[in-house]
Amino acid sequence: MWTVSTAPAASQEPPSWEQCGHGADPATDPVGCRGRRLPYRTACLAHASTAERDSYLALLYPGAPLDHRGTRLTRPLLRSLLNALRDPDTSGLVIGDAWFSGATFSDGAWFTVPTFTRDAFFNGATFNGAAMFPGARFKRDARFEGATFNGVARFDLARFHRDARFDEATFAGPSMLGPLVCVGCVGLDGAVFETPATIEIAATAVSCRRTRWMSTAALRLRYATADLTDAVLSAPVAVAAHPTPFTHSDVRAVDEGLLAGAERGVRVTSVRGVDAAHLVLTDTDLSACRFFGAFHLDQIRLEGHCTFAPVPEGWYIRPPFRWTRRRTLAEEHHWRAPRAISGLSPPRRWRPGSPTVRIPQPAEVAATYRQLRKALEDSKNEPGSADFYYGEMEMRRHDRTPETTAVERGLLRAYWLISGYGLRASRALFWLGFTMASTVLALMLWGLPTNVPLPSASGITTGNTISLNAKKPDLSITGDRWTLRRADRAVRASVNAVVFRTSGQDLTPAGRYIEIVSRIVEPILLALAVLAVRERVKR
C-alpha cells in the first residue's frame, strides 16, 4: 500500500509513529521532524547519515515494504529510494506496500511508468514541484485525497484498475489529468482547481461533488457517469462526451481495453446546486440528470446531441391511453412514478427517483422546465424547447397549490385535451374533423329546411296607393332529412365555417345558431393545428 499524506503544519501533536524528532525545540517546535525512523535507527531517511541511508537502501528489493511517513523527500532522495525497487531484469519499478503519510515532496515527484501492485495512497501529499505519473499503472486503489499539487500535475496514459480518488485535493498549478483510463470511479469531490485544467477521462464514473473550478476547465469524458452536485464554477466549464478514443500527443491512441464491455456514452446524473451560467454540456445523456436546485438554469448551454428521458411506451387501459412522444426531465419521472401503474416493464413505466433525494412537486418541476425552455429558445432550438413547454404545462395542470386555481387547471386540461397545449397538430386536426362532422350532422337534422320556396307578395291597389304584403317562405323541415342534396349543403356550410365565411345557405333558426358556433370553434382548431406544426419546424 502506497500512502502519502501531510499532517497540518500547525499541529503540535506528535504523530502515531516513531518520529525522527530532528530540530525539536521545546519553545517553538516540541515535535520536530515528523519523519518515520528508519528500522533500528533514530533518524528518518532525510536526516539519517549517509552510511545509515546507504545501508538501508541496500536492503531494499523490488516489491519491498516501505514506511516513510512524515518524511520530507527531495527529488534525489526519492529517486534513490525508487531505484532500489527496480527489477534488474526489466528495469521497471515494483512498488509494494508503502506508507508515506504526512510526507512532503519538496521538489515534486517523477514516477516514470511504475507498476503499483498494491493500493497506492498519496493522501495529503504536498508536491511542491511537478507531479508526473506518465504511463503509471495502478493495480488497486489510488488515492490522492487532500493532496496539494503546487506545480504541474500530469497523469498522461495512467491506468487505474480500481478507483482513483482526488477528493479534497488542491491543484494550484496547471493540470492535465489524462488521458487516463479507470475501471472504477475517478473522484474529484471537494477538489479545487485554481488554474485552467484539462481533464480527459475514460472511466466507469466521475464524481465532481463540491468540486471548485476557479478558472476555465474542459472535462472530456468517455463511458463515464458524471455527478456535478454542488460544484462551484467561477469560470466556464465544459463537460463533453468524447466521440473517439483519446490520443496522446495526437498520435498514440489510448488503450481502453480495461473498459471492454462498459456501457458507451457519457451520462450526467446531477447538476443540483450548480450555478449553470458557466456550464456547457455537449453530447451528454441527461435522461437521469437532476436539474432541480441548480441556479441560472436559463443560462445553461446544451450543445450537440443531448438526450433526455422519453415518456413510457405502449398503450394503457386507462387515460391517457398512450403517452405522446416527448423529451422529459428526470424530476417529472420521479414525481409520476409513485402515481403510475405498477408492475410494468421498464420501457412502459416512469422511472422512480432515489429514496434519499426529495422529489420536487409539480410547481417546482414546472419552474425547472421553464428555465430550460428559455435556455433552448435563446440558443435558437425552438423544436427542442417545445417539449419543455409541454412538460411545463403538464406540471401546471397537476399543480394543486393555491397559486393554481381549479378554474386555471380546468382551462389547462381543456387546452391539453384539444391540442396538446398547441403542440399536437394531430389532436387539433382530430377535433377539427370531429367538429366539422358534428356540424354537418346537426345541419342535416335541424339546420337545413327541406324545401326553400321563393318569397311571395300580394297587394291591393286603391287609387294611387299600392299596398304590398310580403310573405316569408316556410323554412320548416319536412320529409326525408338524409339526402345527398342536404348532405352537400351541410358540408359546404361546415367548410365555409372553417375559414370564417358565411355559407349563404337558407337555414332554420337552429341552423343559424349551429353556423355561428362552428364559425367560432372550427377556425380556432385550425389555427391550433397550424401553430403546432410551426412550433415543430421553426428555427
Side-chain angles (χ1 to χ4, degrees), residues 157-218:
L157 301 177
R159 305 179 70 188
F160 300 84
H161 289 245
R162 288 172 56 174
D163 291 345
R165 307 299 308 193
F166 295 86
D167 304 334
E168 307 296 334
T170 299
F171 296 86
S175 303
M176 181 67 183
L177 294 184
L180 61 85
V181 178
C182 179
V183 176
C185 175
V186 177
L188 295 169
D189 295 347
V192 179
F193 292 86
E194 298 180 357
T195 59
T198 300
I199 304 172
E200 296 182 339
I201 298 174
T204 303
V206 175
S207 182
C208 298
R209 300 172 67 91
R210 305 180 309 281
T211 305
R212 299 183 63 189
W213 279 283
M214 310 306 293
S215 185
T216 58

Side-chain angles (χ1 to χ4, degrees), residues 352-368:
S354 171
T356 61
V357 178
R358 183 179 77 86
I359 298 176
Q361 296 306 300
E364 298 167 323
V365 181
T368 305

